[in-house]
Amino acid sequence: MTDLNRLFAATKQAFDLPKGVIYLDGNSLGPMTHASRARLVDEMDNQWSQKLIRGWNESGWYHLSQTVGDKIAALIGAPKGTVTTADNTSINVHKVLSAALAMNPGRKVILSDSGNFPTDLYVAQGVIAGLDDGYELKVVTPEQVFDAIDESVAVVMITQVDYCTGRLHDMASITERARVKGVKTIWDLCHSAGAMAIQLDDLKVDFAVGCGYKYFNGGPGAPAFLYVREQHINNIQPVLTGWMGHESPFSFDRQYTPMQGIGRMRVGTPSVLGLASLDAALDVWQGVTMQQVRARSIELSELFMDEVAKRCPELELASPTDASQRGSQVSYRFHEGYAVVQALIDQGVVGDFRMPNIVRFGITPLYLDEADIIKAAEIIGDVMTNKRWDCDKFKAVQAVT
Ligand SMILES: *Cc1c(COP(=O)(O)O)cnc(C)c1O
């Protein structure tokens, strides 16, 4: 066994995966760790039930947003004290977009791209409507982003890895061009944090947000994270002002004064159980580097693409073949993609479907190995060759795809 194999055989043991399932959807909802279960049981049996309100002081609840924020900071190249965990990604995009626009008052353009996740675009539309001050959302193709960064742009807000195809933006060159042109940067890391090495501080990124429930395995609806470049933090006037971002919440002042530090980006009482689950799940990263995860993800993705290509010529690869252009997922186009995903789930291979025709598979080295990848490809081959997807029960579309 190589060292990497040994390392990831150990991390796989940290997850509570159902028997007979190959889980290729950790980019959408990370699976449960044994540590999350133990932590939630402890929170219920020993903290919440026994300590009641004292839990805020005695069980670490009050500081948990920061405890978890600091753990995530270490995984995205951010200094301690620059990341908080609260709310969800959409709300955090609201917060950082408002803050970024206020830092560039003379400019009216928010630049994004057509590969962005729709919620980010919806948030931008809402922020623009609320400001009612001539702001404009400019959406270009991913290939056009770099050149579209000019002196008219206030903020460039993009998602590093495209949720459909896995296409990876070059964070270094885009951030640097933005800096030179006086444009503030917001990176959405939902599909990259926990999947690859990110150096927010080194690259001088202004703001970043991302999910707790995808590659960080915090559980359904786990709180999201929010990063602000250290030198900006105390200059930001939060737009979502609430008591948990106040300099002294328990003074109950009538006047809002923001806290010093990243805590000012909080609003109200956090979901403690969600944070506790995420906090416990993050311990799986002890002893694993993002470079190791990335190297392994590339290995497994290439194996997967080869094995699928051999068996399924009718699946058209939608992801870049060049690893340096791809995140940690492999996607295909197929006209009956939804039915294919349902047929695969029926056979124990869990991926997902995105409109209009994308079949997605997340490659997550913490709990997937070569044997899983080969087995999954065999099952995909069987479903495609024998058209097992071609029946009514797999074509009935459910609410969550
Ligand atoms: C998953 C995802 C989100 C999710 O936002 P929530 O508000 O947490 O539901 C946002 N942005 C991107 C790019 C995503 O992939």
Side-chain angles (χ1 to χ4, degrees):
M1 246 202 198
T2 67
D3 287 350
L4 268 194
N5 282 346
R6 199 170 300 119
L7 175 70
F8 289 117
T11 58
K12 189 172 186 176
Q13 296 304 312
F15 288 86
D16 188 347
L17 291 158
K19 289 256 172 316
V21 167
I22 301 173
Y23 194 60
L24 302 175
D25 211 8
N27 53 321
S28 205
L29 174 68
M32 193 171 78
T33 56
H34 296 294
S36 277
R37 172 189 282 115
R39 177 66 175 271
L40 288 175
V41 167
D42 176 66
E43 292 291 344
M44 290 187 281
D45 287 354
N46 303 314
Q47 314 305 326
W48 179 16
S49 62
Q50 300 307 303
K51 296 191 177 150
L52 298 162
I53 190 86
R54 289 185 294 135
W56 284 105
N57 286 318
E58 294 176 15
S59 307
W61 296 346
Y62 190 55
H63 299 291
L64 206 46
S65 293
Q66 201 48 52
T67 311
V68 177
D70 286 337
K71 280 190 186 176
I72 291 177
L75 299 171
I76 56 177
K80 244 183 151 150
T82 61
V83 175
T84 189
T85 33
D87 308 307
N88 53 44
T89 303
S90 305
I91 290 177
N92 288 339
V93 174
H94 260 281
K95 298 178 202 170
V96 297
L97 181 56
S98 305
L101 290 174
M103 291 172 81
N104 239 346
R107 302 181 182 196
K108 298 289 178 194
V109 176
I110 301 166
L111 177 65
S112 191
D113 76 55
S114 53
N116 207 343
F117 191 77
T119 202
D120 298 41
L121 303 178
Y122 302 161
V123 168
Q125 291 162 25
V127 166
I128 288 170
L131 288 170
D132 190 21
D133 193 21
Y135 282 95
E136 168 199 345
L137 173 62
K138 182 171 175 184
V139 180
V140 299
T141 65
E143 297 72 28
Q144 291 167 335
V145 168
F146 185 86
D147 289 332
I149 298 172
D150 61 26
E151 280 84 3
S152 70
V153 176
V155 178
V156 56
M157 178 183 74
I158 36 186
T159 296
Q160 190 181 9
V161 173
D162 183 309
Y163 74 104
C164 272
T165 63
R167 176 201 34 74
L168 172 64
H169 268 302
D170 181 3
M171 187 183 276
S173 67
I174 288 176
T175 304
E176 178 55 16
R177 180 168 168 107
R179 205 182 59 77
V180 168
K181 302 281 180 187
V183 177
K184 298 296 165 203
T185 43
I186 299 175
W187 284 96
D188 184 330
L189 307 178
C190 278
H191 285 281
S192 43
M196 60 187 63
I198 297 168
Q199 299 301 339
L200 293 180
D201 190 49
D202 285 356
L203 297 183
K204 305 190 170 70
V205 169
D206 295 305
F207 301 92
V209 296
C211 275
Y213 56 79
K214 290 173 179 164
Y215 292 95
F216 286 147
N217 311 304
F225 65 89
L226 180 160
Y227 158 86
V228 180
R229 183 156 176 73
E230 202 162 23
Q231 68 208 55
H232 300 331
I233 292 175
N234 290 331
N235 300 321
I236 286 170
Q237 203 55 43
V239 81
L240 296 183
T241 47
W243 75 310
M244 285 294 152
H246 188 276
E247 67 171 354
S248 178
F250 287 87
S251 300
F252 296 104
D253 289 345
R254 292 217 168 71
Q255 182 60 39
Y256 175 78
T257 313
M259 187 182 288
Q260 292 295 300
I262 193 69
R264 67 175 54 195
M265 300 309 270
R266 298 199 283 263
V267 185
T269 308
S271 161
V272 169
L273 296 179
L275 279 173
S277 174
L278 176 57
D279 187 33
L282 288 168
D283 288 341
V284 74
W285 295 94
Q286 281 168 13
V288 187
T289 67
M290 278 303 162
Q291 286 76 8
Q292 289 168 322
V293 167
R294 177 67 172 157
R296 181 70 160 173
S297 153
I298 291 172
E299 248 173 52
L300 293 178
S301 298
E302 287 177 348
L303 177 65
F304 183 73
M305 289 188 285
D306 288 348
E307 294 291 320
V308 171
K310 255 187 343 213
R311 297 178 170 88
C312 314
E314 61 277 56
L315 287 179
E316 179 203 341
L317 186 66
S319 299
T321 45
D322 176 354
S324 70
Q325 314 270 313
R326 192 179 62 236
S328 203
Q329 69 183 64
V330 176
S331 306
Y332 297 91
R333 292 194 181 87
F334 188 69
H335 59 94
E336 286 283 359
Y338 182 82
V340 167
V341 168
Q342 297 310 308
L344 287 174
I345 292 171
D346 190 58
Q347 307 268 329
V349 175
V350 182
D352 66 16
F353 171 77
R354 286 293 174 265
M355 289 291 278
N357 59 1
I358 295 278
V359 179
R360 293 196 305 183
F361 301 104
I363 308 294
T364 46
L366 293 180
Y367 47 88
L368 287 173
D369 55 28
E370 275 112 352
D372 295 323
I373 294 292
I374 291 169
K375 182 92 204 286
E378 284 168 2
I379 293 172
I380 295 167
D382 172 63
V383 162
M384 294 308 297
T385 310
N386 298 307
K387 289 195 166 32
R388 297 200 194 282
W389 52 268
D390 196 7
C391 63
D392 289 343
K393 75 169 171 177
F394 295 139
K395 295 181 183 175
V397 179
Q398 301 176 67
V400 175
T401 63

